């Protein structure tokens, strides 16, 4: 079970920035090619969300969860990574 949790956090830690970065980069590249203002606004929102959630929040959340699981004792043992 601990190995499954560790693998899940690894996917979040490395997959989050990868997906968020790809979304942010794709939106940034696509913005100049779009003519409609409403579509540009949507792409800018996608870019911002990709950076915020993918590049900042996902790795930070993984570090916080690892700290909690390593230092809070659950059932007499801690989930050390």
């Amino acid at each position: 079970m601990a190995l499954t949790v560790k693998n899940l956090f690894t996917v979040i830690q490395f997959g989050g920035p990868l997906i968020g970065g790809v979304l942010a980069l794709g939106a940034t590249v696509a913005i100049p090619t779009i003519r409609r203002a409403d579509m540009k606004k949507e792409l800018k929102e996608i870019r911002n969300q990709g950076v915020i959630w993918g590049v900042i929040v996902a790795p930070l959340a993984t570090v916080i969860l690892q700290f909690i699981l390593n230092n809070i004792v659950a059932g007499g043992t801690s989930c050390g990574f």
Side-chain angles (χ1 to χ4, degrees), residues 18-39:
L18 179 65
I19 294 170
V22 168
L23 285 174
L25 181 62
T28 303
V29 170
I31 287 173
T33 63
I34 303 298
R35 296 181 64 109
R36 292 179 23 205
D38 60 335
M39 185 65 89

Side-chain angles (χ1 to χ4, degrees), residues 1-14:
M1 182 67 178
L3 188 58
T4 303
V5 173
K6 179 182 177 187
N7 290 340
L8 180 66
F9 289 140
T10 303
V11 168
I12 293 170
Q13 185 177 14
F14 296 117

Side-chain angles (χ1 to χ4, degrees), residues 1-74:
M1 182 67 178
L3 188 58
T4 303
V5 173
K6 179 182 177 187
N7 290 340
L8 180 66
F9 289 140
T10 303
V11 168
I12 293 170
Q13 185 177 14
F14 296 117
L18 179 65
I19 294 170
V22 168
L23 285 174
L25 181 62
T28 303
V29 170
I31 287 173
T33 63
I34 303 298
R35 296 181 64 109
R36 292 179 23 205
D38 60 335
M39 185 65 89
K40 281 189 179 188
K41 189 174 181 179
E42 289 287 329
L43 285 173
K44 287 179 182 177
E45 185 66 27
I46 291 170
R47 179 189 61 196
N48 294 340
Q49 291 296 318
V51 169
I52 291 170
W53 290 102
V55 179
I56 297 171
V57 174
L60 187 61
T62 304
V63 170
I64 291 169
L65 288 173
Q66 283 179 346
F67 173 78
I68 289 170
L69 289 176
N70 284 333
N71 295 315
I72 294 179
V73 177

